[in-house]
Amino acid sequence: MEERTPNPAEEVSLQWLDIPEIFLGSIDDQPSNEDQVRQELLSHPVEELKSLSEEELLLPRRDPDLAFLEDTPEPESDCVTTNFKWRDIPVQVDMFYHMDASQEDPHEHSIIGSDVRSAIQQCMPKRPDKELVQYLTAKARLESGTDDKRSWRSIRLAVLRELWNNPASWAALEAECRARREDPEIQKMLKSVKKSYRYWDPWWQAHQDRVAGEGPDILRKLPEGTIYIAVDKHGAVLLFVFPRGLTFTYDEATTQHIFDDLATYARHEPPPKPDVRRHPLDEDWIKEHPEFSSEQGGYHGTYHWGCHHEVDHETVTFVVETGDTRLLNRNTHIARLNKELMTGACGVLTRALYFWFGVLDPDLRARCQKVVEHTPTCLRTTEKECFSMRAALLNVKTESHKDSRDWKSGLAFLTPGGEFQGADLCVIDLGIQVPFPPGSIAAIRGREFEHFTTAWTGVRTCIVHTNHQSVREEAEERMAEPKGQQGLAKRLRVEAAARQAAARRAAKLQGQSEAGSSGSQPAETTSSGKRKRSS
């Protein structure tokens, strides 16, 4: 009888036999301590800043409510700062008195953000002209002969990559663009390109991030080990960074254990690679860091655990589990490891973030818990779950971005781990760059504030804990419905959308049939109505 080859995952366990207690220095893990820490870190310094007079704040004239202060000098920024020590750790609290966290654009009237962006632009090189990129995209589409819209974005990104790799060719290409502008085929394709075009240039964005993160006197750089808290004019937290805060909350061994477990899981179930259409610079990043490849014993990619709506389908589908979460339902050794990782390392991590969420915004935390409770497909890592989505980025670098799908005016938590140097957390509209070493905790209103991390050396994992706005809306709709009818309204919308999609497919097939009967040959289609690719 042939001997069975054992699965390496069979011999591995990620189960935590002892769940550590939250340490927090010399205080016990009691609910009242959230209030105590909030008073010490937030309430007292915020009240101190709020008590400053208008003369002390030097409020600028651009505030529409203070138009009478015509002779008030313009300050260098629109934030006031207080510094103190908490448990022998330096703390800096900035109040941005033109920002309001409850608004869709909380930094609309901010001075410091516009000043930082202006300083960045002064250091930037020339970028490819928009018309040139559109022309080259139209030309490439014509040459490819494809009308598959999914490939158009890839074509545009390939055009941008070639332009940035060969800036010496821009002048000749611009001359070609002017010469072929009247070409009928080019004009027709250009019309289509402009209709669907969004001028997003990740290479330009990456250059801006380097200028901001590496340039002198652009962002305020905090000393290492400093807790940083940014609040709006009402005292609501915009950004919270506690360097090595997870290590402080538990201890060094527990923090190491959490990220060691994630690394072990990644070696048995490699993470999905980033989508190159959304992360086109990932290819360059991996070329710079071949040590992340599996051939060299490394790992690289992103897991998504929890539930979400599929992109661009928030209103016509139910919340569903992510692909990485569905793996939990299988009867395999990898599924067992995944479950142990969720209830072990991720559960321990969630307990720490639950505490800090309560310190920063207990009302928002309670609302997040309600959403999780009323989302049947939500993955729960602890009995006090308050996040419906986790993304684990393993050696993945992202450019400056906003998390457009996150809870409006919500907080996302970030926890990096591993062994690395660099990777400071930067927020342009706050004008700040904060050291963000392994074992740190950060909370940010990521939907409203653009953020990025600087480059690093070493191995780095960052776990993002958040809730999506569309998941929140579906859960709140479910909460408002009578018991026994929860989810009914959404189900009716989903069914109506499915009928509309079926009608569109039928109309498309009928149009193709009529075109065929008039003498032209219709394109072959699949059973779903999609055109078959030519062989």
Side-chain angles (χ1 to χ4, degrees):
M1 184 175 179
E2 187 177 347
E3 187 175 343
R4 184 179 73 88
T5 304
N7 187 326
E10 292 180 39
E11 307 299 323
V12 178
S13 174
L14 301 180
Q15 192 171 10
W16 287 53
L17 301 178
D18 297 310
I19 302 299
E21 291 297 320
I22 291 179
F23 181 54
L24 278 181
S26 60
I27 58 179
D28 298 324
D29 180 19
Q30 300 294 329
S32 61
N33 287 327
E34 287 182 3
D35 299 330
Q36 178 185 340
V37 174
R38 188 184 313 112
Q39 289 291 325
E40 295 169 353
L41 271 181
L42 265 177
S43 303
H44 291 160
V46 165
E47 287 305 314
E48 176 191 334
L49 293 175
K50 281 184 176 179
S51 69
L52 294 175
S53 66
E54 291 177 356
E55 291 76 14
E56 290 173 300
L57 287 174
L58 290 176
L59 290 173
R61 291 190 297 275
R62 72 175 67 185
D63 189 325
D65 297 328
L66 297 170
F68 61 92
L69 295 174
E70 292 295 332
D71 298 322
T72 303
E74 293 277 344
E76 293 183 2
S77 72
D78 51 352
C79 80
V80 285
T81 299
T82 183
N83 296 89
F84 57 95
K85 281 199 171 184
W86 177 77
R87 301 181 184 275
D88 294 325
I89 303 171
V91 180
Q92 177 169 319
V93 179
D94 286 349
M95 174 179 279
F96 292 83
Y97 49 84
H98 271 143
M99 295 192 187
D100 185 345
S102 65
Q103 299 301 308
E104 187 172 337
D105 186 1
H107 44 77
E108 180 181 4
H109 301 294
S110 171
I111 299 171
I112 193 167
S114 58
D115 287 349
V116 167
R117 292 180 189 281
S118 177
I120 291 172
Q121 293 309 312
Q122 292 176 17
C123 303
M124 292 293 289
K126 181 185 175 183
R127 68 188 300 184
D129 183 73
K130 180 179 177 180
E131 289 189 4
L132 175 61
V133 178
Q134 290 176 339
Y135 161 73
L136 292 173
T137 303
K139 177 185 173 184
R141 282 191 194 175
L142 281 172
E143 292 173 350
S144 70
T146 179
D147 61 354
D148 183 358
K149 292 184 179 180
R150 290 173 298 181
S151 68
W152 289 358
R153 188 174 188 178
S154 300
I155 289 173
R156 178 171 59 82
L157 291 171
V159 164
L160 282 168
R161 179 184 293 278
E162 184 63 27
L163 285 170
W164 280 106
N165 287 342
N166 299 283
S169 67
W170 294 4
L173 291 171
E174 285 169 353
E176 178 189 322
C177 174
R178 290 190 295 270
R180 294 195 63 188
R181 192 173 294 167
E182 304 304 320
D183 185 319
E185 284 191 330
I186 289 290
Q187 281 189 336
K188 182 179 178 181
M189 185 57 76
L190 265 174
K191 187 176 179 180
S192 173
V193 167
K194 290 177 180 179
K195 187 176 179 180
S196 61
Y197 190 80
R198 183 173 73 90
Y199 192 40
W200 171 57
D201 186 342
W203 286 269
W204 174 259
Q205 185 65 64
H207 200 111
Q208 288 189 104
D209 294 349
R210 283 194 296 273
V211 168
E214 299 172 8
D217 305 323
I218 292 182
L219 296 175
R220 296 172 296 144
K221 297 176 174 60
L222 257 65
E224 290 190 8
T226 301
I227 297 175
Y228 178 74
I229 308 173
V231 298
D232 72 356
K233 61 184 179 182
H234 303 298
V237 173
L238 305 173
L239 174 67
F240 167 78
V241 184
F242 189 168
R244 305 198 184 277
L246 185 59
T247 304
F248 180 84
T249 306
Y250 287 124
D251 53 40
E252 188 72 48
T254 301
T255 303
Q256 189 69 37
H257 190 170
I258 290 170
F259 290 97
D260 283 351
D261 277 7
L262 186 54
T264 299
Y265 180 77
R267 290 191 176 95
H268 289 280
E269 179 65 17
K273 296 290 185 285
D275 184 347
V276 293
R277 291 174 299 175
R278 297 183 63 197
H279 304 282
L281 297 188
D282 189 68
E283 180 182 323
D284 304 326
W285 174 248
I286 290 303
K287 285 181 180 176
E288 293 175 23
H289 296 277
E291 69 274 14
F292 297 157
S293 68
S294 55
E295 291 79 8
Q296 296 196 25
Y299 43 82
H300 164 254
T302 304
Y303 298 111
H304 291 90
W305 291 302
C307 59
H308 66 159
H309 285 98
E310 293 181 356
V311 177
D312 299 329
H313 293 282
E314 284 85 353
T315 60
V316 296
T317 62
F318 286 110
V319 171
V320 296
E321 294 177 328
T322 65
D324 295 317
T325 307
R326 286 194 290 271
L327 182 64
L328 288 163
N329 301 323
R330 300 177 186 173
N331 186 23
T332 65
H333 292 292
I334 294 298
R336 175 186 58 78
L337 285 182
N338 199 335
K339 290 175 185 175
E340 292 174 354
L341 180 68
M342 293 298 103
T343 57
C346 288
V348 171
L349 186 52
T350 301
R351 289 176 69 248
L353 299 185
Y354 180 88
F355 179 90
W356 286 105
F357 206 160
V359 169
L360 302 178
D361 197 329
D363 294 336
L364 178 59
R365 182 185 68 179
R367 292 168 65 194
C368 291
Q369 281 186 275
K370 281 286 186 184
V371 165
V372 169
E373 289 170 11
H374 288 82
T375 304
T377 54
C378 188
L379 172 67
R380 292 161 175 79
T381 61
T382 71
E383 70 283 356
K384 294 182 177 180
E385 184 61 76
C386 49
F387 304 107
S388 57
M389 171 62 78
R390 284 172 183 78
L393 287 72
L394 287 75
N395 295 313
V396 171
K397 188 176 185 302
T398 57
E399 290 68 56
S400 187
H401 67 284
K402 293 180 181 179
D403 299 302
S404 59
R405 302 181 72 193
D406 276 9
W407 185 305
K408 290 180 180 177
S409 302
L411 285 172
F413 282 75
L414 293 74
T415 50
E419 296 181 6
F420 61 89
Q421 295 79 41
D424 291 351
L425 181 59
C426 303
V427 184
I428 297 293
D429 288 302
L430 300 178
I432 199 73
Q433 179 172 341
V434 188
F436 200 36
S440 298
I441 294 174
I444 184 172
R445 299 194 187 265
R447 182 184 178 112
E448 289 77 25
F449 285 88
E450 207 170 289
H451 54 283
F452 68 94
T453 50
T454 59
W456 69 85
T457 56
V459 176
R460 181 180 187 268
T461 293
C462 186
I463 307 177
V464 181
H465 309 71
T466 189
N467 295 284
H468 284 176
Q469 175 67 15
S470 63
V471 174
R472 167 197 176 184
E473 289 171 355
E474 183 169 315
E476 289 178 345
E477 182 180 55
R478 187 183 294 271
M479 284 184 248
E481 292 173 333
K483 194 171 183 180
Q485 297 184 18
Q486 292 183 335
L488 176 61
K490 183 63 179 281
R491 184 157 55 253
L492 293 175
R493 288 203 304 276
V494 170
E495 291 171 354
R499 287 194 298 271
Q500 291 170 4
R504 285 194 297 270
R505 288 196 297 269
K508 183 177 180 181
L509 287 170
Q510 183 178 359
Q512 291 170 347
S513 176
E514 290 172 354
S517 63
S518 64
S520 59
Q521 184 67 30
E524 285 189 90
T525 59
T526 64
S527 59
S528 64
K530 294 182 179 179
R531 181 180 297 182
K532 284 186 177 180
R533 294 185 179 182
S534 57
S535 56

